[in-house]
């Protein structure tokens, strides 16, 4: 079976599943799943750029996702003027202090020759600089966080259109990736994995605790949307007209019954319409990234990346700067993950730092990439669809299996109750098993990489 | 010495020294497991934290069973009696995973990063098993005597303002960790199998040539790792509490400890464990009272360098410093 048939088969099966959900459960649910599938697909593409093109293991996807989410919030929420007045100036000074310390450390390390003096000087500068920054930073944070803490207590954002934040999210993630790649690339291959695991945990901890920036676990909700609101749609004449015409045959003749029925249909249709708008947006991003990745892969650059991945020493001998290329591809992949993170926060309409869980993001995305076929972009997209669909539907399925499998124990049996209660954790076991099975028995994944010379 | 100085010393011992040594020995045990897997099997085991949780979980289950039978160890926690159950179950788990997962990649001579991803799969499954069996919530399973030294008694006996508390679990952590480490080093340095293990770790081909059975070396490594991780998990759980997600998060400090000391070097793992533990505590401790005793008056504010929410950032910072300054670690471990 060649790539094309495999791809067509996989995507048709996926479409059939989603249509089945639409018919049997509801179309709104079907499109909710599709939207998350699309976002996961963009993330999986980002990871595939790192893993498939260069063999880099990024264990910090959750951190880059969270940075994207932070960008969405920072770009779209209106600024909190009072908080800026309360602590803006001293926060600005602490930023200046930070820059001064960084410049001082750099100058010291440039102009003083390596030796004890330089090491001690660096440590002294960093420790002293820490207190210097804190001198401005701590009062600024206190002032900002105590400004109307029940409703704001943070600086807010720019109040710009939220779509703009998708780019910013990519930039944020790229910046973090550059920093972490600079430190850990070029060393042992799994240092990058460990370092990314660490940075992700720190980013999530920052989002949870730096209330002045992200409101922490108090969440920022009600982010402005790039698409219309349901309530507005239900009162827009053209939308009402369309829905009335669409359901003209089904609506009852009696006036009151008709109005009630129409209202019901309007609510359903508006929610579906909003979901469709998101689907359109996400699909365009996915196609754009896919196209770019495809072009890059076929370009000389892509051949060089594959050469480096398959034999680092040979590529090095041919004069390729392996570490630099790795850094480049790592930054690009992380930027794509950041964009997806911003998209996800846009879809949810709120920033909830408490929900960034490495098992749910980092490692699930990995399952998607490996299952889809490492190195193959279409494969990653298919993997994202299958795994997300499975992740969502595995919970009711697991519940059902356990419910029926333990029915013979009779209701009220302790073991049965316990298993039913913890059924949702079954999906971790299922996902892990699937990952291990695919790696072992079909290491190329569902759609293997095309071996183009 | 003035009373203030003594008070300061007691305060230091109570909030930094004792918790640091305890946490350090727990981390060292965990990092030893990571380093052994690295030295012999040559990959960073991402499933380590969850294996720890797995061992601890079975120890807890056995403890509950023993408690329900009315068995207890008197002043010592019943969990010590249940430890062999936890170790046996963990050994079974890691051996099964080795046979089903890692063995294949060893035979294929796969790249280290493939092992790492496989260990992520193992982590997923182990994590799911733990949550499925015992649930994702906090579990307390410590019983017996709570304190070796009580703050109140200490104050009464010495007449100082500051009290010293040493929990039984803290004492146990240190004693058990020392015993386990001594046994491990005796095994590695003195016994035939231990020497075979070190030879295999140093140079696989040479070891094979001299007739060392790689299967046996791998199996024994996993058995030791199972024992060490279960010990680390149970001691940490007794001292604080058992929660699956916390054990997953311990992965970072344990990796940091193993890398700081020098990956693949058991002594380095122990050193690293204490470095990470003490840095975490020193950087997140609020020095207000301590400065008060030393300088004569208490400063405003808590004088805390970092909030405790960022304690994982400390392991990360140590990791970054080591990667920048000496990527092979303090004791010059392996590089690939």
């Amino acid at each position: 079976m060649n790539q094309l048939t495999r791809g067509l088969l996989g995507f048709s099966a996926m479409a059939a599943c989603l249509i089945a959900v639409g018919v049997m459960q509801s179309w709104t649910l079907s499109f909710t799943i599709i939207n998350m599938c699309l976002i996961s697909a963009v993330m999986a593409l980002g990871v595939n750029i790192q893993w498939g093109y260069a063999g880099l293991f990024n264990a910090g996807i959750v951190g880059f996702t969270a940075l994207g989410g932070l960008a969405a919030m920072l770009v779209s929420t209106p600024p909190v003027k009072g908080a800026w007045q309360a602590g803006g100036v001293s926060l600005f000074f602490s930023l200046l202090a930070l820059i001064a310390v960084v410049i001082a450390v750099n100058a010291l390390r440039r102009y003083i020759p390596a030796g004890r003096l330089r090491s001690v000087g660096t440590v002294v500068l960093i420790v002293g600089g820490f207190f210097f920054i804190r001198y401005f930073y701590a009062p600024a944070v206190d002032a900002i966080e105590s400004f109307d803490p029940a409703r704001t207590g943070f600086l807010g954002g720019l109040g710009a259109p939220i779509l703009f934040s998708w780019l910013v999210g990519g930039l944020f993630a790229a910046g973090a990736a550059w920093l972490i790649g600079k430190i850990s690339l070029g060393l042992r291959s799994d240092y990058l994995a460990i370092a990314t695991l660490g940075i992700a945990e720190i980013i999530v901890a920052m989002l949870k605790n730096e209330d002045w920036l992200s409101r922490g676990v108090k969440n920022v909700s009600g982010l402005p949307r790039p698409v219309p609101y349901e309530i507005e749609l239900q009162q827009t004449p053209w939308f009402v007209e369309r829905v009335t015409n669409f359901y003209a045959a089904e609506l009852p003749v009696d006036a009151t019954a008709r109005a009630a029925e129409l209202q019901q249909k309007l609510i359903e249709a508006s929610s579906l319409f909003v979901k469709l708008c998101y689907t359109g947006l996400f699909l365009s991003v996915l196609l754009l990234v896919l196209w770019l990745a495809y072009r890059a892969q076929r370009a000389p650059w892509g051949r060089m990346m594959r050469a480096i991945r398959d034999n680092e020493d040979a590529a090095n001998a041919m004069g390729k700067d392996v570490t630099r290329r790795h850094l480049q591809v790592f930054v690009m992949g992380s930027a794509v993950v950041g964009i997806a993170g911003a998209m996800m926060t846009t879809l949810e309409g709120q920033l909830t730092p408490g929900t960034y869980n490495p098992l749910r993001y980092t490692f699930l995305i990995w399952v998607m990439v490996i299952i889809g076929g490492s190195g193959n972009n279409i494969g990653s997209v298919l993997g994202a669809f299958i795994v997300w669909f499975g992740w969502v539907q595995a919970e009711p399925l697991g519940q059902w299996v356990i419910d029926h499998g333990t029915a013979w124990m009779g209701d009220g049996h302790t073991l049965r109750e316990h298993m039913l209660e913890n059924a949702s954790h079954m999906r971790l076991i299922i996902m892990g098993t699937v990952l291990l099975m695919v790696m072992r028995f079909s290491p190329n994944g569902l759609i293997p990489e095309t071996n183009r010379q | 010495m003035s009373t203030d100085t003594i008070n300061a010393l007691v305060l230091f011992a109570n909030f930094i020294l004792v918790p640091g040594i305890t946490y350090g020995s727990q981390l060292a045990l965990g990092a030893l497991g990571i380093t052994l897997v690295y030295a012999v099997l040559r990959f960073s085991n991402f499933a380590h934290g969850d294996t720890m949780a797995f061992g601890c979980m079975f120890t807890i289950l056995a403890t509950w069973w023993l408690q329900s039978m009315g068995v207890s160890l008197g002043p010592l926690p019943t969990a010590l009696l249940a430890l062999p159950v936890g170790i046996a179950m963990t050994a079974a788990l890691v051996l099964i995973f080795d046979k089903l997962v890692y063995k294949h990649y060893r035979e294929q001579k796969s790249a280290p990063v493939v092992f790492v991803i496989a260990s992520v799969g193992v982590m997923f499954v182990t994590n799911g098993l733990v949550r499925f069996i015992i649930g994702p919530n906090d579990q307390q399973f410590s019983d017996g005597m709570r304190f070796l030294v009580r703050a109140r008694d200490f104050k009464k006996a010495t007449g100082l303002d500051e009290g010293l508390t040493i929990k039984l679990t803290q004492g146990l952590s240190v004693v058990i960790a020392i015993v386990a480490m001594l046994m491990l080093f005796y095994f590695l340095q003195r016994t035939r199998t231990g020497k075979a293990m070190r030879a295999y770790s140093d140079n696989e081909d040479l070891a094979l040539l001299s007739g060392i059975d790689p299967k046996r070396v791998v199996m024994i490594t996993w058995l030791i790792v199972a024992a060490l991780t279960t010990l680390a998990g149970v001691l940490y759980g007794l001292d604080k509490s058992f929660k699956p997600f916390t054990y997953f998060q311990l992965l970072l400090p344990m990796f940091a400890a193993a890398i700081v000391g020098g990956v693949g070097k058991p002594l380095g793992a122990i050193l690293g464990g204490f470095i990470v533990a003490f840095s975490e505590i020193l950087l997140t401790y609020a020095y207000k009272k301590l400065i008060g005793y030393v300088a004569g008056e208490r400063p405003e504010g808590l004088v805390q360098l970092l909030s405790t929410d960022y304690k994982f950032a400390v392991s990360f910072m140590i990791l970054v410093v080591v990667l920048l300054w000496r990527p092979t670690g303090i004791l010059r471990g392996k590089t690939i």
Side-chain angles (χ1 to χ4, degrees), chain A residues 101 103-106 108-109 120-130:
Chain A
V101 170
I103 291 176
V105 171
N106 265 329
L108 177 98
R109 296 192 69 83
V120 173
T122 313
V123 172
V124 168
L125 258 186
I126 290 177
V127 173
F130 181 81

Side-chain angles (χ1 to χ4, degrees), chain A residues 134 188 190-191 209-210 418, chain B residues 44 133 304-305 309-310 327:
Chain A
R134 274 266 296 240
R188 254 183 40 199
D190 33 11
Y191 276 1
N209 296 305
E210 297 301 312
H418 175 83
Chain B
S44 306
I133 296 174
Q304 190 181 17
L305 290 172
D309 301 312
Y310 287 115

